[in-house]
């Protein structure tokens, strides 16, 4: 219950961040609006940081919160438990089995272009 306001702020922040960065052309076509939305995202995230610091302080913790090392894509994938060798194997299998079937069906239906 103590974390609900923090999680709500993080959700608001994430929605705005995702909206802004997922719209690939928005930063070109509407840079001021995207900057405004991103600034709101950062503001919500900062508000969440302040609230979580208060929650931690109430419970007697005033030190730095230990954070995992997610400085690289590989480290982040490992931290969240992705088995990248399995994922890469699954992708390879998909590319070698499913995609050729799609191409075969498209050619048979006259909807494929030979490249």
């Amino acid at each position: 219950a103590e974390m609900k306001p923090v999680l709500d702020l993080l959700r608001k922040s994430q929605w705005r961040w995702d909206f802004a960065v997922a719209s690939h052309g928005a930063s070109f076509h509407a840079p001021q609006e995207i900057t405004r939305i991103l600034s709101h995202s950062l503001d919500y995230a900062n508000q969440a940081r302040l609230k979580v610091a208060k929650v931690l302080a109430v419970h007697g913790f005033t030190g730095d919160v230990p954070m995992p090392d997610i400085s690289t894509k590989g480290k982040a994938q490992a931290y969240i438990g992705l088995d990248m060798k399995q994922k890469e194997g699954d992708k390879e299998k998909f590319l070698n089995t499913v995609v050729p079937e799609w191409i075969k069906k498209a050619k048979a239906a006259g909807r494929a272009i030979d490249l």
Side-chain angles (χ1 to χ4, degrees), residues 5 21 25-26 32 35 38 51 54-56 59 74 76 79 81 94 106 113:
V21 300
Q32 290 175 321
T35 302
L38 286 173
K51 285 190 182 295
K54 289 178 183 178
V55 170
L56 291 170
H59 294 280
Y79 176 72
F94 174 82
I113 299 172

Side-chain angles (χ1 to χ4, degrees), residues 8-102:
D8 289 344
L9 287 166
L10 290 174
R11 185 170 293 112
K12 286 180 181 181
S13 175
Q14 189 65 51
W15 271 105
R16 281 152 182 82
W17 183 270
D18 288 347
F19 175 79
V21 300
S23 177
H24 300 294
S27 62
F28 176 79
H29 295 290
Q32 290 175 321
E33 182 63 9
I34 293 304
T35 302
R36 183 188 69 78
I37 293 168
L38 286 173
S39 70
H40 286 190
S41 172
L42 292 171
D43 182 54
Y44 283 128
N46 193 42
Q47 289 179 44
R49 290 180 65 210
L50 294 172
K51 285 190 182 295
V52 80
K54 289 178 183 178
V55 170
L56 291 170
V58 164
H59 294 280
F61 185 85
T62 57
D64 291 335
V65 176
M67 298 296 292
D69 180 7
I70 54 170
S71 60
T72 67
K73 180 179 177 180
K75 289 178 182 180
Q77 290 167 334
Y79 176 72
I80 65 171
L82 288 180
D83 182 348
M84 291 311 295
K85 287 186 181 186
Q86 178 189 350
K87 296 276 183 203
E88 289 165 6
D90 292 346
K91 180 180 178 180
E92 189 69 25
K93 181 179 175 186
F94 174 82
L95 292 173
N96 291 327
T97 58
V98 176
V99 172
E101 286 299 314
W102 286 351

